[in-house]
Amino acid sequence: MDKTYNPHELEQRWYHRWEESGCFRPTGQGEPYCILLPPPNVTGTLHMGHAFQHTLMDALIRYQRMRGRDTLWQVGVDHAGIATEMVVTRQIEAEGGKREDYSRDDFIDRVWQWKHESGSTITRQMRRLGASADWSRERFTMDPDLSEAVTETFVRLHEEGLIYRGPRLVNWDPVLQTAISDLEVVNSDEQGKLWSIRYPRTDGRGDVVVATTRPETLLGDVCIAVHPEDARYRELVGQTVELPLTGRRIPVIADDYVDPEFGTGCVKITPAHDFNDWEVGARHDFQPINIFTPTATINEQAPGRYRGLDRFEARERIIADLKAEGLLIEEKPHAMVVPRGDRSGQIIEPYLTDQWFVKMDELGELGLELVESGQVEFVPGNWINTYRHWMENLKDWCISRQLWWGHRIPAWYDEQGNIHVGRSEDEVRARQALDADVVLRQDEDVLETWFSSALWAHSTLGWPDPKRMASEGFERYLPTSVLITGFDIIFFWVARMIMMTGHFTGKVPFEQVYITGLIRDSHGQKMSKSRGNVLDPIDLIDGIELEHLVDKRTSAMMQPHLAKRIEKATREEFPDGIPAFGADALRITFTALAGHGRDIKFDLARCAGYRNFLNKLWNAARFTLMNVGDEALPVPAEAELDTLSRWILSRLNRTIVEVEQALSDYRFDLATRALYEFVWNDFCDWYLELSKPALQEAAASADPATARATRHTLARVLETTLRLLHPFVPFITEEIWQRIRVPAGVVGESISQTPWPEAGDPDRQAEADAEWLKEVISAIRSARTELNLAPGKPMPLLIEEGSPSDLARMERFGGLIRSLARLEHIEPADNRHDPATCATALAGELRLLIPLAGLVDVAEELARLSKQLEREEKGLEIVAKKLANERFVANAPAEVVARERSRQGEHQAAIADLTGRIRRLQQVGQAANPP
RNA sequence: GGGCGAUUAGCUCAGUUGGUUAGAGCGCUGUCUUGACAUGGCAGAGGUCACUAGUUCAAAUCUAGUAUCGCCCACCA
């Protein structure tokens, strides 16, 4: 083995072997365990959030697979309608072509071609991370069978009256020219303006002043509204005003939607271009006046001079005209909320179109019930509040998109405009008994991507085809065990899956939903291209040169002026680029950070720390292999095990239990920490060091039984630890395991197919012995350092006082203490030793004296002892205060009181000892330096 | 406006049903190249657990309030 752990080569090698061996497929044996991968966009590349979540999923999958569960990780990607069209359109434009030159079929062909060439980037990257998914079952939302599920769902919902089509005000993206759902609109706080406009009264008795942030929409105003209780305007209701620039007259109405406190208390009502106004208009029976074309230019409903202007030009023109007519009273800055499309970033228009909707009342109730009844459980539990709030305020779901890439809506129109919904045109004709000469035209729209991903749980398991359901394991794997995802798609996906799977299968899609935190940069900032703080997980695995990183972060910027700042920050933060940490180090960093908080700050220093940890593990393995040879070791009987071997096995058993508990609570951080501490603090820092004396040639021939037990324990503990670590760091554990399995006497092809270790009982006696031993060694080392004694130089140790058990332990472990604390010999103190020539350390009641060559530096030793005394006195004070409290003694549990009492005794003894020692030293000091 | 969350060492965070003198990693200080590992060993320094009041024998932990910060949802033109 190399001296230093080097992840790159071994990671590549092992993934291929695993995948080829088929060990990621479900075995069909054991209790099923299934995780659905939230299908990433086909256009996507692996970002930190994916890498994080995939690591958690893979850790669970590998863990459960080792525990003998029949494990299925269902992976796949979704077709991402808008995103994919944008990517392909950009590609066409980059080649000098134009999207408009493509027919629908040609464009779709082109998208498929793109998908075949570039659509598997993210799944390749998942393999780099070590994701142990069953790739033979990978699915795409546009696969024929998943498309069939989409059609079936649409038709059935339509038959049940849960899907309808109609003219509604929807969120319209005038650039992409499609409707989008409420969820795809992001409300952004922006600085806008508020204009106050004068509407002259037609009776000549003055004006009505309204405030608006969108003056261009006045072309579509149908009335002015005031609050019914607003005394100022009571006489105005029922009157008419002149709508500026149009020559139209509109009435003033009363509606309690109006907030009398805001602005002038008068509101212009534009039902076709504002969701609230739509409601108001409907209440008062106004016909909405749509003034926009689909690209948000002014249409023929408006006076001629504005027609053809886009919405922003129209605003300028209207402001100018109002000013010219003296109707503009005021223009002031105004903080407002602007709706923007999450994909295009464009300002969204409320726009009147015909769209398809899913009725949400019934489905929403079902979705709520499935969670409230506990059939689906959120982890952490608070997320139920978020879910509940949304489910209780559902609006109908606009599912049609004016795109080409996606599942085309299975609805056909005849020439009379009748709508026929069916699984195919043939089915529609047959069912409606339509003659062959009746012309049918299929709806041009497609369904939004989330409609198909909502079916992911049951459609990937074969629904609705009974034959496929049987072969894919529909009954076996549904409900799946747990869904792991971020809170950002609770509404988009989680809720819709619960409703759809619940509605169509009567089952829940998953029993638990583990909501992960969001990965941020080390300062807590969201990672984004425009902030220039994005880390690419692949760069953390492979490393990246500074120049390349700078290029990556500053190229193709939406706002090029930020590039300079980003470059500077990047050069400061990563002066040497990013080193190659390897996939395992990245993975275990993620699991270590995966607490139950909402944000996860990703710090490269943590990643480096875990890379170092893996290097430590690597070297512990080197040491072990060096000592155990490469043949199967004889297995010692329990009775032959030495105390320290029993101790490390006991600690190992406790670690197994801790990891299991942590994983069942989705506390990946605690699981990781338990393993880190065991490997580093127990196994490396103590057991390996304590094993060295026993393995030395002379010692081994003097006590072959202990040497044998030690060798076997080294191999056994290392091998078991590798299995515990394997779900988190699959590559390095496989690499080492292949070398240790023979000496450890374990059979198997791959660590990924070995069973998860079973925890035995802890050995309290061995633990107590080891703790004592560690305390004594640490006390000596500490004294040594504090007195500036040469660390390597052997020295004698004298012992005083001590309980019989101290003395017995000293007898048993003296050799180890000598070796680890670098002592010459240990012997009982006697009167020959002048305290002035010794330093003292305390371990429990045991007093450890270190004779010094010359006189001890009295001042220094006094300072040291006083510090210890102070500490003990403080401890005693706290304990004594408690015990002096009668109510504590009366009320606290007996064991707590007893513990305090024994502590009190310990402190008192230590204080007596230290005080005596200090007094003697002071006398010596005075004798040496008379005043 | 409604909801959720956070506040513990210089930084990033643990701290499970209240019970030692509140822990870890990184960073910092000192020291050591000893045949696993300098991506390391050993030994250290460092905290008024945001604040206030309460409950309790006992509070980082429970309750109420205050402050600061963050996120999600929502129709104030």
Side-chain angles (χ1 to χ4, degrees):
Chain A
M1 282 174 86
D2 291 341
K3 187 169 164 186
T4 306
Y5 156 62
N6 190 345
H8 191 72
E9 180 271 338
L10 69 92
E11 290 183 357
Q12 298 279 16
R13 179 156 42 86
W14 281 113
Y15 198 87
H16 291 303
R17 286 206 218 165
W18 289 332
E19 193 173 352
E20 277 162 25
S21 76
C23 65
F24 298 157
R25 296 207 193 114
T27 57
Q29 309 291 311
E31 197 189 333
Y33 185 86
C34 180
I35 292 182
L36 301 166
L37 178 78
N41 286 358
V42 64
T43 53
T45 52
L46 196 75
H47 59 56
M48 291 294 279
H50 291 129
F52 173 50
Q53 290 171 3
H54 296 174
T55 296
L56 302 189
M57 286 181 237
D58 192 51
L60 288 175
I61 284 284
R62 287 179 182 269
Y63 169 62
Q64 298 292 357
R65 189 182 286 129
M66 291 174 84
R67 299 225 302 170
R69 304 279 291 267
D70 176 29
T71 306
L72 169 63
W73 186 4
Q74 176 63 53
V75 291
V77 290
D78 82 33
H79 63 277
I82 292 175
T84 309
E85 286 204 8
M86 286 172 77
V87 166
V88 174
T89 302
R90 224 175 289 142
Q91 195 186 46
I92 289 169
E93 284 164 0
E95 292 167 5
K98 276 197 294 210
R99 160 93 188 246
E100 292 73 42
D101 298 339
Y102 284 74
S103 70
R104 182 171 189 142
D105 286 347
D106 289 345
F107 184 78
I108 289 173
D109 283 348
R110 175 85 203 227
V111 178
W112 276 112
Q113 187 194 329
W114 174 88
K115 197 253 172 191
H116 291 132
E117 285 163 10
S118 319
S120 55
T121 306
I122 198 162
T123 54
R124 261 200 325 274
Q125 292 176 320
M126 282 179 71
R127 288 174 166 91
R128 291 295 316 280
L129 198 63
S132 67
D134 179 8
W135 297 105
S136 71
R137 294 177 62 132
E138 182 184 346
R139 309 315 311 273
F140 181 52
T141 45
M142 296 269 283
D143 284 345
D145 44 351
L146 297 205
S147 301
E148 183 193 321
V150 169
T151 305
E152 185 67 24
T153 301
F154 187 96
V155 172
R156 286 203 208 167
L157 286 174
H158 185 260
E159 284 167 354
E160 296 168 39
L162 293 178
I163 279 187
Y164 64 92
R165 180 177 193 263
R168 294 285 185 286
L169 212 51
V170 296
N171 301 297
W172 183 261
D173 186 320
V175 174
L176 295 172
Q177 293 187 58
T178 179
I180 58 176
S181 76
D182 296 338
L183 286 178
E184 292 164 293
V185 178
V186 289
N187 290 314
S188 106
D189 287 318
E190 294 179 20
Q191 197 53 238
K193 283 178 182 162
L194 187 67
W195 287 274
S196 296
I197 302 169
R198 195 196 316 265
Y199 286 34
R201 288 176 61 162
T202 50
D203 58 8
R205 293 162 56 194
D207 315 298
V208 177
V209 176
V210 301
T212 180
T213 54
R214 300 208 53 194
E216 68 281 9
T217 63
L218 75 76
L219 300 174
D221 284 358
V222 298
C223 64
I224 298 239
V226 297
H227 194 274
E229 311 289 308
D230 194 334
R232 294 172 295 176
Y233 301 119
R234 193 156 290 153
E235 57 86 26
L236 200 59
V237 175
Q239 304 294 314
T240 56
V241 297
E242 189 188 323
L243 182 61
L245 314 179
T246 61
R248 282 197 285 127
R249 283 181 172 203
I250 56 172
V252 178
I253 59 140
D255 193 290
D256 55 18
Y257 155 69
V258 180
D259 175 3
E261 307 293 317
F262 187 90
T264 56
C266 301
V267 190
K268 64 193 259 330
I269 300 295
T270 321
H273 299 289
D274 183 285
F275 289 100
N276 294 312
D277 292 6
W278 173 268
E279 304 281 329
V280 176
R283 277 200 285 276
H284 299 269
D285 287 328
F286 286 103
Q287 271 304 315
I289 301 171
N290 172 27
I291 59 158
F292 283 141
T293 67
T295 53
T297 58
I298 303 293
N299 69 12
E300 73 293 341
Q301 293 285 336
R305 61 187 266 97
Y306 303 114
R307 287 180 200 163
L309 296 177
D310 84 22
R311 47 188 170 161
F312 306 114
E313 292 167 349
R315 177 177 301 175
E316 298 297 317
R317 178 76 65 89
I318 281 169
I319 295 296
D321 290 352
L322 288 171
K323 225 179 244 172
E325 294 193 19
L327 296 174
L328 186 71
I329 293 176
E330 192 186 22
E331 171 183 306
K332 61 174 183 186
H334 182 69
M336 55 188 287
V337 178
V338 178
R340 289 184 179 273
D342 64 350
R343 289 282 157 197
S344 68
Q346 300 297 324
I347 296 178
I348 296 304
E349 290 293 337
Y351 192 60
L352 187 57
T353 51
D354 276 311
Q355 301 288 345
W356 291 91
F357 294 86
V358 179
K359 261 196 190 160
M360 296 308 277
D361 32 13
E362 199 177 302
L363 287 168
E365 254 172 61
L366 173 66
L368 199 52
E369 157 63 19
L370 292 173
V371 170
E372 295 288 0
S373 65
Q375 293 178 72
V376 177
E377 183 197 358
F378 278 89
V379 181
N382 315 40
W383 288 108
I384 196 175
N385 295 314
T386 305
Y387 179 82
R388 187 182 288 140
H389 181 258
W390 191 66
M391 295 300 280
E392 285 168 351
N393 295 283
L394 278 178
K395 286 198 225 142
D396 286 355
W397 175 18
C398 176
I399 51 172
S400 44
R401 296 290 178 275
Q402 287 65 53
L403 304 173
W404 282 345
W405 177 241
H407 300 102
R408 195 147 169 194
I409 289 176
W412 284 262
Y413 302 89
D414 61 25
E415 285 178 323
Q416 286 72 49
N418 297 311
I419 306 175
H420 308 285
V421 170
R423 288 165 187 80
S424 64
E425 185 173 338
D426 290 344
E427 187 194 276
V428 165
R429 284 185 186 279
R431 218 198 295 178
Q432 306 289 325
L434 298 176
D435 290 338
D437 59 350
V438 175
V439 177
L440 287 180
R441 182 176 54 78
Q442 188 174 0
D443 197 299
E444 296 288 327
D445 294 350
V446 298
L447 291 161
E448 84 149 313
T449 308
W450 296 108
F451 188 87
S452 51
S453 22
L455 315 178
W456 190 245
H458 54 285
S459 67
T460 55
L461 291 171
W463 187 91
D465 179 20
K467 242 163 90 193
R468 280 205 307 270
M469 286 162 75
S471 65
E472 304 286 316
F474 178 90
E475 283 302 330
R476 188 165 178 73
Y477 297 113
L478 195 70
T480 65
S481 309
V482 62
L483 185 77
I484 298 187
T485 192
F487 67 84
D488 48 335
I489 58 172
I490 289 180
F491 307 140
F492 276 110
W493 191 54
V494 177
R496 288 165 177 171
M497 277 179 100
I498 294 172
M499 291 187 276
M500 287 298 194
T501 301
H503 183 73
F504 284 102
T505 73
K507 297 194 189 198
V508 292
F510 28 73
E511 286 162 341
Q512 290 183 304
V513 189
Y514 173 54
I515 300 292
T516 65
L518 191 76
I519 299 283
R520 297 167 171 278
D521 76 4
S522 58
H523 311 290
Q525 295 280 314
K526 221 167 173 169
M527 288 191 187
S528 72
K529 180 94 187 155
S530 61
R531 280 198 188 84
N533 60 351
V534 173
L535 288 172
D536 182 337
I538 300 299
D539 293 341
L540 297 175
I541 294 173
D542 291 339
I544 184 168
E545 304 273 324
L546 175 62
E547 296 309 321
H548 190 181
L549 180 64
V550 168
D551 277 357
K552 215 168 145 171
R553 286 185 161 189
T554 54
S555 65
M557 295 285 304
M558 298 278 243
Q559 302 115 302
H561 65 278
L562 296 176
K564 252 204 174 118
R565 202 162 68 213
I566 290 170
E567 176 171 353
K568 185 159 170 266
T570 302
R571 286 183 190 280
E572 261 166 37
E573 194 175 356
F574 309 102
D576 304 312
I578 297 174
F581 294 113
D584 281 332
L586 179 61
R587 288 172 60 116
I588 196 168
T589 306
F590 280 134
T591 58
L593 293 171
H596 279 187
R598 305 200 149 201
D599 294 324
I600 288 154
K601 290 176 199 155
F602 189 90
D603 190 345
L604 236 48
R606 291 293 296 268
C607 204
Y610 284 100
R611 187 261 329 261
N612 296 353
F613 169 67
L614 296 180
N615 186 58
K616 188 80 179 174
L617 176 68
W618 181 262
N619 277 289
R622 283 207 319 142
F623 172 84
T624 302
L625 290 166
M626 210 175 279
N627 281 288
V628 301
D630 35 62
E631 280 168 36
L633 295 166
V635 181
E638 277 299 307
E640 288 180 294
L641 284 179
D642 58 291
T643 301
L644 294 167
S645 292
R646 292 206 316 274
W647 165 71
I648 194 69
L649 288 166
S650 180
R651 283 289 305 126
L652 178 65
N653 284 327
R654 287 188 191 274
T655 305
I656 296 172
V657 173
E658 274 183 72
V659 172
E660 288 173 352
Q661 180 61 49
L663 286 181
S664 77
D665 296 337
Y666 301 101
R667 287 300 304 265
F668 298 91
D669 56 334
L670 299 184
T672 304
R673 197 169 51 153
L675 287 164
Y676 184 100
E677 286 175 357
F678 174 74
V679 169
W680 204 311
N681 303 344
D682 293 327
F683 189 58
C684 292
D685 285 350
W686 287 105
Y687 190 70
L688 289 192
E689 293 305 322
L690 290 164
S691 77
K692 285 175 184 174
L695 296 175
Q696 271 163 12
E697 239 168 84
S701 50
D703 183 0
T706 299
R708 265 202 313 274
T710 302
R711 279 202 194 93
H712 185 266
T713 305
L714 275 174
R716 175 175 165 194
V717 171
L718 177 62
E719 194 277 336
T720 309
T721 305
L722 291 172
R723 280 189 273 153
L724 296 177
L725 281 166
H726 185 253
F728 306 95
V729 284
F731 297 104
I732 187 178
T733 48
E734 179 79 282
E735 180 73 16
I736 299 172
W737 187 83
Q738 293 292 340
R739 299 165 203 251
I740 196 69
R741 73 188 159 126
V742 172
V746 178
V747 289
E749 291 285 299
S750 160
I751 190 174
S752 58
Q753 284 157 296
T754 57
W756 180 257
E758 256 178 68
D761 293 328
D763 182 334
R764 289 174 205 286
Q765 184 56 52
E767 285 178 354
D769 286 340
E771 287 314 313
W772 178 89
L773 178 59
K774 285 158 67 174
E775 190 188 352
V776 169
I777 293 171
S778 296
I780 299 167
R781 284 171 172 171
S782 181
R784 193 171 199 150
T785 306
E786 283 172 19
L787 292 166
N788 294 318
L789 303 178
K793 199 179 146 203
M795 59 183 201
L797 179 76
L798 308 173
I799 51 175
E800 265 185 5
E801 312 283 341
S803 65
S805 86
D806 285 333
L807 299 177
R809 277 165 166 163
M810 194 52 94
E811 189 70 28
R812 282 167 67 198
F813 300 122
L816 286 170
I817 295 170
R818 276 209 311 277
S819 169
L820 269 76
R822 295 189 181 280
L823 301 174
E824 222 160 48
H825 58 264
I826 302 176
E827 60 188 47
D830 57 37
N831 297 332
R832 290 174 303 155
H833 295 282
D834 185 334
T837 62
C838 292
T840 313
L842 285 172
E845 292 169 41
L846 193 62
R847 191 183 303 166
L848 308 162
L849 301 178
I850 303 166
L852 301 171
L855 277 182
V856 66
D857 180 331
V858 173
E860 202 162 293
E861 178 68 354
L862 270 175
R864 220 172 60 82
L865 295 175
S866 309
K867 199 174 83 184
Q868 282 178 37
L869 180 62
E870 205 178 306
R871 212 179 287 166
E872 294 292 341
E873 280 173 338
K874 199 174 143 202
L876 179 63
E877 192 187 336
I878 290 165
V879 173
K881 211 158 113 192
K882 278 190 194 175
L883 287 169
N885 184 342
E886 279 169 35
R887 287 183 301 175
F888 169 73
V889 179
N891 293 323
E895 66 203 53
V896 173
V897 178
R899 200 165 55 217
E900 294 298 329
R901 287 233 163 84
S902 89
R903 253 175 231 150
Q904 185 180 35
E906 283 164 25
H907 286 307
Q908 281 165 341
I911 288 168
D913 196 83
L914 287 163
T915 321
R917 173 93 192 133
I918 288 170
R919 193 174 308 129
R920 276 190 290 165
L921 259 185
Q922 280 167 338
Q923 285 160 5
V924 171
Q926 279 156 13
N929 308 300

